[in-house]
Structure formats: C-alpha cells, structure tokens
Amino acid sequence: MLTTYDFISNYLRARFGDDERGASLVEYALLVALIAVVCIVAVTFLGTSAKGKFETVGSSIGA
C-alpha cells in the first residue's frame, strides 16, 4: 500500500524526473555560447593582427 509520500514521490518522478530535454537544451545553449565567444575572440585577434600587417604593407608601398 502506498503512503502519501510514496504516491507524490512516484508521481513527481514520473512527471518530471525522467524528462531530460530541458537539461540537454541548456547544455547545447552553453556549448553554442562558448563557441560564439571563441569565434568572436579569434576574429577580433586576427582582425587586429591583419590590420597591422596591412598598415605595414600599405606604408611600404606608399613611401
């Protein structure tokens, strides 16, 4: 015979406990955010580096 606690516990576990879609969604969102941050940092670094190279080449050609 189920007690009230067992009944509520089983109900909540069946209703919410086995559903991991929300956890997977959060993990994918964090992964996408991390990839976006890495891409932004890489583009910023490469853009600054390329700008310096182009300025050096441009001043060499113009002189």
Side-chain angles (χ1 to χ4, degrees), residues 4 14 21-22 27-29 31 36 41 45 52 56 59-60:
T4 304
R21 287 180 291 171
E27 291 170 359
Y28 283 125
L31 187 61
V41 168
F45 175 73
T56 303
S59 63
S60 298

Side-chain angles (χ1 to χ4, degrees), residues 30-46:
L30 289 173
L31 187 61
V32 168
L34 179 63
I35 291 171
V37 167
V38 168
C39 289
I40 290 170
V41 168
V43 167
T44 302
F45 175 73
L46 292 174

Side-chain angles (χ1 to χ4, degrees), residues 3-63:
T3 64
T4 304
Y5 173 77
D6 291 332
F7 176 76
I8 293 173
S9 174
N10 289 336
Y11 173 76
L12 291 176
R13 191 176 302 116
R15 179 81 167 110
F16 301 109
D18 294 334
D19 187 16
E20 294 185 8
R21 287 180 291 171
S24 296
L25 180 65
V26 170
E27 291 170 359
Y28 283 125
L30 289 173
L31 187 61
V32 168
L34 179 63
I35 291 171
V37 167
V38 168
C39 289
I40 290 170
V41 168
V43 167
T44 302
F45 175 73
L46 292 174
T48 304
S49 178
K51 179 182 174 187
K53 299 287 183 188
F54 283 125
E55 287 176 353
T56 303
V57 171
S59 63
S60 298
I61 293 173

